[in-house]
Amino acid sequence: MENHLTASERVLHFLKPGMHTLIQDLGRPGYQSSGTAISGALDKTSAAAANWCVGNPDSTPVLEITMIGPQIQFDGDCQIAITGGDLNPKLDGKVMQSYQTINVSAGSILSFGKLRSGCRAYLAVHGEWQVHRWMKSASALSIGDVDLVPGALIKKGASIAIQVTDTLPEVLTHHNPIKSWPDTLTVHVLPGPEFQSFSAQQIAFFFNTIFTITGESNRIGYRLQPSLLEYVSGEEVISSGIIPGTIQITRQGQPVILMADAQTTGGYPRIANVVSQDLDSLGQMKPGDTVNFQIVKG
């Protein structure tokens, strides 16, 4: 997005884009009836914490930084915060504290090192982000090769302008509820609409197996291994509504946890649904990490 620099603008220049750096906010709920994914930050708690540290409303865009971080140069003084996964952030080569306001000087460069914990970090910058929006959200969303929000997928040489009208008078420190994100997560679920269509053996396998997140996983869904034992697909389910956290079982018996960019309807049987409180923690899991499921008893 082209912007003309003014005295109140700060521009982030991306010297390196990182592995998968996206502009995200809280998403676009309310448009599922038109077939539009909710999207938004996979770890909304961390995204909101980053915005809190820089005095922004929760709905302000942030950068969602996945596994390998970008290199960013700031053209002016500004205030930033990083939360979520530990990607070893450094400002001008010095280790940067997370979950607090950081004052940045003009010309400074933010970089990231080796991933140490979690999967996704969130970068907030104080001010009003001058970015494109689609259906009232700046969150990146693609259909095939078409990016519905121009500029939301960060590429080398990209820039983001942020309108700044004031500065925070003091450093804000937010409590970090998790110092080190686990590589294994117990995920709490409720029975899905087709839960009763699975055999007792399949249900027992589902709740007594440690599943591995495969490399085919992304923001649409996490594919898990192993597949259900001796699973035989029954009659295809009429396409029905799904939401982030729905766990479908494919024809091959593979569980798939649908995430923020998932479609709004699906035809695979839904064995369970992740409780909303566990979705943010799932957003910090990466390929090779493991999950097991525990049913929530009413």
Side-chain angles (χ1 to χ4, degrees), residues 23-62:
I23 296 174
Q24 295 289 348
D25 52 27
L26 298 183
R28 44 184 69 85
Y31 293 95
Q32 297 97 305
S33 60
S34 63
T36 303
I38 295 175
S39 297
L42 285 185
D43 180 358
K44 290 181 172 57
T45 297
S46 292
N51 271 323
W52 184 90
C53 286
V54 296
N56 289 340
D58 287 354
S59 58
T60 303
V62 295

Side-chain angles (χ1 to χ4, degrees), residues 38-172:
I38 295 175
S39 297
L42 285 185
D43 180 358
K44 290 181 172 57
T45 297
S46 292
N51 271 323
W52 184 90
C53 286
V54 296
N56 289 340
D58 287 354
S59 58
T60 303
V62 295
L63 288 179
E64 181 176 86
I65 300 165
T66 303
M67 296 183 69
I68 299 174
Q71 187 178 70
I72 305 170
Q73 185 170 43
F74 300 87
D75 84 325
D77 297 350
C78 59
Q79 294 171 304
I80 69 174
I82 293 179
T83 60
D86 184 357
L87 276 67
N88 192 18
K90 295 179 181 179
L91 189 63
D92 293 328
K94 296 180 180 180
V95 175
M96 178 182 156
Q97 294 297 313
S98 297
Y99 285 85
Q100 71 176 45
T101 314
I102 300 293
N103 293 314
V104 176
S105 300
S108 290
I109 294 178
L110 174 66
S111 60
F112 295 83
K114 183 178 179 180
L115 174 67
R116 296 190 291 200
S117 176
C119 179
R120 295 173 174 87
Y122 292 89
L123 170 64
V125 182
H126 175 66
E128 184 177 341
W129 290 47
Q130 307 298 296
V131 295
H132 288 280
R133 287 170 171 79
W134 182 70
M135 288 191 171
K136 302 180 181 179
S137 172
S139 289
L141 182 62
S142 300
I143 296 180
D145 295 329
V146 179
D147 293 328
L148 299 177
V149 188
L153 171 60
I154 302 300
K155 301 177 181 179
K156 183 178 180 180
S159 62
I160 296 175
I162 296 174
Q163 198 83 11
V164 178
T165 58
D166 58 0
T167 58
L168 298 177
E170 59 184 349
V171 171
L172 301 176

Side-chain angles (χ1 to χ4, degrees), residues 9 17 30 34 40 51 54 85 95 114 123 135 159 169-170 177 185 187 191 202 216 235 253 256 258 261 274 282:
E9 278 187 352
S34 63
N51 271 323
V54 296
V95 175
K114 183 178 179 180
L123 170 64
M135 288 191 171
S159 62
E170 59 184 349
L185 181 69
V187 179
Q202 291 165 350
E216 297 175 316
E235 294 183 7
V256 180
L258 299 178
D261 284 352
V274 178
L282 265 177

Side-chain angles (χ1 to χ4, degrees), residues 187-190 245 273-280 296:
V187 179
H188 300 87
V189 300
L190 295 168
N273 212 94
V274 178
V275 300
S276 58
Q277 294 91 328
D278 285 357
L279 285 175
D280 287 340
V296 176

Side-chain angles (χ1 to χ4, degrees), residues 163-227:
Q163 198 83 11
V164 178
T165 58
D166 58 0
T167 58
L168 298 177
E170 59 184 349
V171 171
L172 301 176
T173 302
H174 194 285
H175 171 66
N176 178 6
I178 301 176
K179 297 298 182 183
S180 180
W181 298 91
D183 296 331
T184 298
L185 181 69
T186 296
V187 179
H188 300 87
V189 300
L190 295 168
E194 286 77 49
F195 183 81
Q196 297 299 332
S197 69
F198 293 89
S199 70
Q201 290 177 321
Q202 291 165 350
I203 291 172
F205 182 87
F206 181 78
F207 286 109
N208 289 284
T209 298
I210 296 177
F211 294 93
T212 300
I213 300 173
T214 75
E216 297 175 316
S217 302
N218 52 34
R219 284 181 47 92
I220 295 175
Y222 288 0
R223 291 183 173 271
L224 309 180
Q225 287 290 356
S227 298

